[in-house]
Amino acid sequence: MKIAIGSDHAGFSLKKQVLDHLKEKGIEAKDFGTYTNDSCDYPDFALKVAEEVAEKNYDFGILVCGTGIGISIAANKVPGIRAAACSDTFSAHACREHNNANIIAFGERVVGPGLACDIVDTFLASKFQGERHQRRIDKITEIEKKYSK
Ligand code: RB5
């Protein structure tokens, strides 16, 4: 399994902790930045990770900002991306099972490192359930197509 990970400055420290956690588990992850604590703009890193996941160069993406909200909103603008901002493990498995989320996002100002790692583990271990959920995702794709130029 290959993971693309990114953050802005507000998620930089938590991203490093999550990267260490993935390394300990033997999961391959590539860091698409930011690489310092300097102030930066979360859409830049959302775009990098979202494009890599949409192009299927990576199986899943992980995005971290202050809240997980801005970076997930930005990632969701890339066609084919279903980024879920999660602050709990129930949402982390439900977004895989029901929404076939391909990116998980969370906020360093919202969750601690222990919970963030549990959220990641839960997300990566959960599987899409298909059936009626696929029909709903197909409708999301139709919305995407309706508004794409
Ligand atoms: C940066 O200050 C902060 O706005 C950003 O990390 C994020 O929380 C936005 O949604």
PDB file of all heavy atoms in Angstrom, residues 8-11 42 65-71 109, ligand 1:
ATOM      1  N   ASP A   8      -0.206  21.642   5.600  1.00  0.00           N
ATOM      2  CA  ASP A   8       0.298  23.015   5.636  1.00  0.00           C
ATOM      3  C   ASP A   8       1.124  23.162   6.921  1.00  0.00           C
ATOM      4  O   ASP A   8       1.391  22.164   7.623  1.00  0.00           O
ATOM      5  CB  ASP A   8      -0.852  24.038   5.518  1.00  0.00           C
ATOM      6  CG  ASP A   8      -1.745  24.083   6.747  1.00  0.00           C
ATOM      7  OD1 ASP A   8      -1.552  23.264   7.687  1.00  0.00           O
ATOM      8  OD2 ASP A   8      -2.645  24.940   6.788  1.00  0.00           O
ATOM      9  N   HIS A   9       1.529  24.402   7.226  1.00  0.00           N
ATOM     10  CA  HIS A   9       2.351  24.635   8.424  1.00  0.00           C
ATOM     11  C   HIS A   9       1.622  24.236   9.710  1.00  0.00           C
ATOM     12  O   HIS A   9       2.236  23.740  10.646  1.00  0.00           O
ATOM     13  CB  HIS A   9       2.756  26.122   8.495  1.00  0.00           C
ATOM     14  CG  HIS A   9       1.566  27.039   8.531  1.00  0.00           C
ATOM     15  ND1 HIS A   9       0.780  27.242   7.415  1.00  0.00           N
ATOM     16  CD2 HIS A   9       1.024  27.771   9.526  1.00  0.00           C
ATOM     17  CE1 HIS A   9      -0.194  28.083   7.735  1.00  0.00           C
ATOM     18  NE2 HIS A   9      -0.072  28.409   9.012  1.00  0.00           N
ATOM     19  N   ALA A  10       0.290  24.421   9.718  1.00  0.00           N
ATOM     20  CA  ALA A  10      -0.495  24.140  10.926  1.00  0.00           C
ATOM     21  C   ALA A  10      -0.661  22.644  11.176  1.00  0.00           C
ATOM     22  O   ALA A  10      -1.052  22.236  12.280  1.00  0.00           O
ATOM     23  CB  ALA A  10      -1.855  24.822  10.837  1.00  0.00           C
ATOM     24  N   GLY A  11      -0.355  21.845  10.163  1.00  0.00           N
ATOM     25  CA  GLY A  11      -0.441  20.397  10.327  1.00  0.00           C
ATOM     26  C   GLY A  11       0.912  19.714  10.236  1.00  0.00           C
ATOM     27  O   GLY A  11       1.001  18.485  10.279  1.00  0.00           O
ATOM     28  N   TYR A  42      -2.705  25.924   2.503  1.00  0.00           N
ATOM     29  CA  TYR A  42      -3.100  24.510   2.451  1.00  0.00           C
ATOM     30  C   TYR A  42      -3.589  24.035   1.071  1.00  0.00           C
ATOM     31  O   TYR A  42      -3.388  22.860   0.734  1.00  0.00           O
ATOM     32  CB  TYR A  42      -4.128  24.179   3.551  1.00  0.00           C
ATOM     33  CG  TYR A  42      -5.385  25.007   3.516  1.00  0.00           C
ATOM     34  CD1 TYR A  42      -6.419  24.706   2.645  1.00  0.00           C
ATOM     35  CD2 TYR A  42      -5.547  26.104   4.352  1.00  0.00           C
ATOM     36  CE1 TYR A  42      -7.571  25.469   2.599  1.00  0.00           C
ATOM     37  CE2 TYR A  42      -6.688  26.882   4.309  1.00  0.00           C
ATOM     38  CZ  TYR A  42      -7.705  26.551   3.431  1.00  0.00           C
ATOM     39  OH  TYR A  42      -8.838  27.306   3.385  1.00  0.00           O
ATOM     40  N   CYS A  65      -4.148  19.810   8.232  1.00  0.00           N
ATOM     41  CA  CYS A  65      -4.005  21.268   8.382  1.00  0.00           C
ATOM     42  C   CYS A  65      -4.402  21.599   9.825  1.00  0.00           C
ATOM     43  O   CYS A  65      -4.331  20.720  10.690  1.00  0.00           O
ATOM     44  CB  CYS A  65      -4.804  22.041   7.322  1.00  0.00           C
ATOM     45  SG  CYS A  65      -6.597  21.931   7.420  1.00  0.00           S
ATOM     46  N   GLY A  66      -4.778  22.822  10.085  1.00  0.00           N
ATOM     47  CA  GLY A  66      -5.151  23.162  11.465  1.00  0.00           C
ATOM     48  C   GLY A  66      -6.404  22.420  11.903  1.00  0.00           C
ATOM     49  O   GLY A  66      -6.476  21.888  13.010  1.00  0.00           O
ATOM     50  N   THR A  67      -7.386  22.386  11.007  1.00  0.00           N
ATOM     51  CA  THR A  67      -8.672  21.751  11.337  1.00  0.00           C
ATOM     52  C   THR A  67      -8.954  20.489  10.526  1.00  0.00           C
ATOM     53  O   THR A  67      -9.839  19.715  10.900  1.00  0.00           O
ATOM     54  CB  THR A  67      -9.823  22.727  11.024  1.00  0.00           C
ATOM     55  OG1 THR A  67      -9.737  23.068   9.623  1.00  0.00           O
ATOM     56  CG2 THR A  67      -9.739  23.989  11.872  1.00  0.00           C
ATOM     57  N   GLY A  68      -8.288  20.337   9.402  1.00  0.00           N
ATOM     58  CA  GLY A  68      -8.609  19.264   8.452  1.00  0.00           C
ATOM     59  C   GLY A  68      -9.700  19.682   7.473  1.00  0.00           C
ATOM     60  O   GLY A  68      -9.982  18.967   6.514  1.00  0.00           O
ATOM     61  N   ILE A  69     -10.269  20.846   7.716  1.00  0.00           N
ATOM     62  CA  ILE A  69     -11.425  21.264   6.904  1.00  0.00           C
ATOM     63  C   ILE A  69     -10.978  21.913   5.590  1.00  0.00           C
ATOM     64  O   ILE A  69     -11.369  21.475   4.506  1.00  0.00           O
ATOM     65  CB  ILE A  69     -12.346  22.202   7.712  1.00  0.00           C
ATOM     66  CG1 ILE A  69     -12.946  21.440   8.902  1.00  0.00           C
ATOM     67  CG2 ILE A  69     -13.454  22.760   6.815  1.00  0.00           C
ATOM     68  CD1 ILE A  69     -13.698  22.305   9.900  1.00  0.00           C
ATOM     69  N   GLY A  70     -10.167  22.966   5.690  1.00  0.00           N
ATOM     70  CA  GLY A  70      -9.761  23.673   4.466  1.00  0.00           C
ATOM     71  C   GLY A  70      -9.057  22.755   3.487  1.00  0.00           C
ATOM     72  O   GLY A  70      -9.341  22.769   2.276  1.00  0.00           O
ATOM     73  N   ILE A  71      -8.181  21.923   4.001  1.00  0.00           N
ATOM     74  CA  ILE A  71      -7.375  21.059   3.128  1.00  0.00           C
ATOM     75  C   ILE A  71      -8.235  19.983   2.468  1.00  0.00           C
ATOM     76  O   ILE A  71      -7.992  19.589   1.334  1.00  0.00           O
ATOM     77  CB  ILE A  71      -6.159  20.497   3.928  1.00  0.00           C
ATOM     78  CG1 ILE A  71      -4.996  20.202   3.001  1.00  0.00           C
ATOM     79  CG2 ILE A  71      -6.541  19.320   4.814  1.00  0.00           C
ATOM     80  CD1 ILE A  71      -3.638  20.143   3.707  1.00  0.00           C
ATOM     81  N   ARG A 109      -4.971  21.033  15.268  1.00  0.00           N
ATOM     82  CA  ARG A 109      -5.549  21.818  16.358  1.00  0.00           C
ATOM     83  C   ARG A 109      -6.790  21.142  16.925  1.00  0.00           C
ATOM     84  O   ARG A 109      -7.440  21.687  17.808  1.00  0.00           O
ATOM     85  CB  ARG A 109      -5.890  23.223  15.837  1.00  0.00           C
ATOM     86  CG  ARG A 109      -4.651  24.017  15.398  1.00  0.00           C
ATOM     87  CD  ARG A 109      -5.003  25.322  14.699  1.00  0.00           C
ATOM     88  NE  ARG A 109      -3.786  25.977  14.223  1.00  0.00           N
ATOM     89  CZ  ARG A 109      -3.770  26.949  13.312  1.00  0.00           C
ATOM     90  NH1 ARG A 109      -4.909  27.396  12.777  1.00  0.00           N
ATOM     91  NH2 ARG A 109      -2.624  27.476  12.920  1.00  0.00           N
TER      92      ARG A 109
HETATM   93  C1  RB5 B   1      -4.008  27.955   8.971  1.00  0.00           C
HETATM   94  O1  RB5 B   1      -3.927  28.974   9.923  1.00  0.00           O
HETATM   95  C2  RB5 B   1      -5.388  27.292   9.017  1.00  0.00           C
HETATM   96  O2  RB5 B   1      -6.353  28.203   8.577  1.00  0.00           O
HETATM   97  C3  RB5 B   1      -5.416  26.039   8.181  1.00  0.00           C
HETATM   98  O3  RB5 B   1      -4.433  25.170   8.608  1.00  0.00           O
HETATM   99  C4  RB5 B   1      -6.712  25.244   8.227  1.00  0.00           C
HETATM  100  O4  RB5 B   1      -7.125  25.039   9.520  1.00  0.00           O
HETATM  101  C5  RB5 B   1      -7.765  25.686   7.329  1.00  0.00           C
HETATM  102  O5  RB5 B   1      -8.829  25.062   7.208  1.00  0.00           O
END
